[in-house]
Amino acid sequence: AQKITQTQPGMFVQEKEAVTLDCTYDTSDPSYGLFWYKQPSSGEMIFLIYQGSYDQQNATEGRYSLNFQKARKSANLVISASQLGDSAMYFCAMREGRISNFGNEKLTFGTGTRLTIIP
Amino acid sequence: DAGVIQSPRHEVTEMGQEVTLRCKPISGHDYLFWYRQTMMRGLELLIYFNNNVPIDDSGMPEDRFSAKMPNASFSTLKIQPSEPRDSAVYFCATRGQRPWTGELFFGEGSRLTVL
């Protein structure tokens, strides 16, 4: 089974609208971390936001927020007031296990969603 | 501060040739990762180091692949001999300054094409 599932291969959104990128995950470990990365056309991977499995509140970083629904095992990324510069590939990723446990460093990535912002 | 620096940015080589990819991590980051990105398989972890010691190389596809980290400021990923199916973008990444999250900082990647 896929550990990270991103069901939207591509999305088109009007500039200034909010957009939600879907991510579901699968793990039996009670400790895990969820990440979102952005990959613009230039190719680099840019960290956006992190959510820990024990975090009580949804993570927010500027225009980015993570809608964390633990029971549904979903970690959707919400981008408010989208901008042309948000056009990129977006990857959801998961690390299983406590960060303090030596060896739990592997990030498993989803297949990504290509977001295109329309002027 | 300089980010993760990778070289070369682009490499085109012929099948059978040796390829060496290089990475300079962010100073002070004690974890270094090598990832590979292809259309078919997405992003895959190949190997990672902690304090210059390889911790998990289970993602290295074959013996043709090897990685070293001789010191805290330099790592290499070598493919010998290279094959067309090795064509991919290879990323080096290091662990960020917030250890409790484990966020990674990626280099710009090395795009390898094996003809």
Side-chain angles (χ1 to χ4, degrees), chain A residues 37-48 85 87-91 109, chain B residues 3-4 6 9 37 43 89-93 104-111:
Chain A
Y37 284 84
K38 172 184 179 181
Q39 187 176 38
S41 57
S42 51
E44 73 272 27
M45 296 285 289
I46 303 167
F47 167 76
L48 296 178
S87 294
M89 282 288 288
Y90 288 81
F91 292 93
F109 286 83
Chain B
V4 177
Q6 292 186 245
R9 291 294 312 279
Q37 185 178 35
L43 274 154
V89 180
Y90 291 82
F91 286 100
C92 176
L104 299 182
F105 285 83
F106 283 77
E108 293 181 311
S110 294
R111 182 176 294 276

Side-chain angles (χ1 to χ4, degrees), chain B residues 6-52:
Chain B
Q6 292 186 245
S7 65
R9 291 294 312 279
H10 302 274
E11 174 94 4
V12 180
T13 190
E14 292 187 344
M15 182 174 63
Q17 297 297 306
E18 178 179 295
V19 174
T20 299
L21 307 178
R22 298 172 177 78
C23 175
K24 178 179 170 54
I26 295 173
S27 177
H29 287 191
D30 53 2
Y31 282 86
L32 183 141
F33 303 78
W34 282 100
Y35 277 85
R36 178 173 69 175
Q37 185 178 35
T38 62
M39 288 295 293
M40 292 297 295
R41 300 175 68 89
L43 274 154
E44 304 173 281
L45 176 65
L46 300 178
I47 185 172
Y48 75 89
F49 296 82
N50 174 236
N51 290 323
N52 314 337

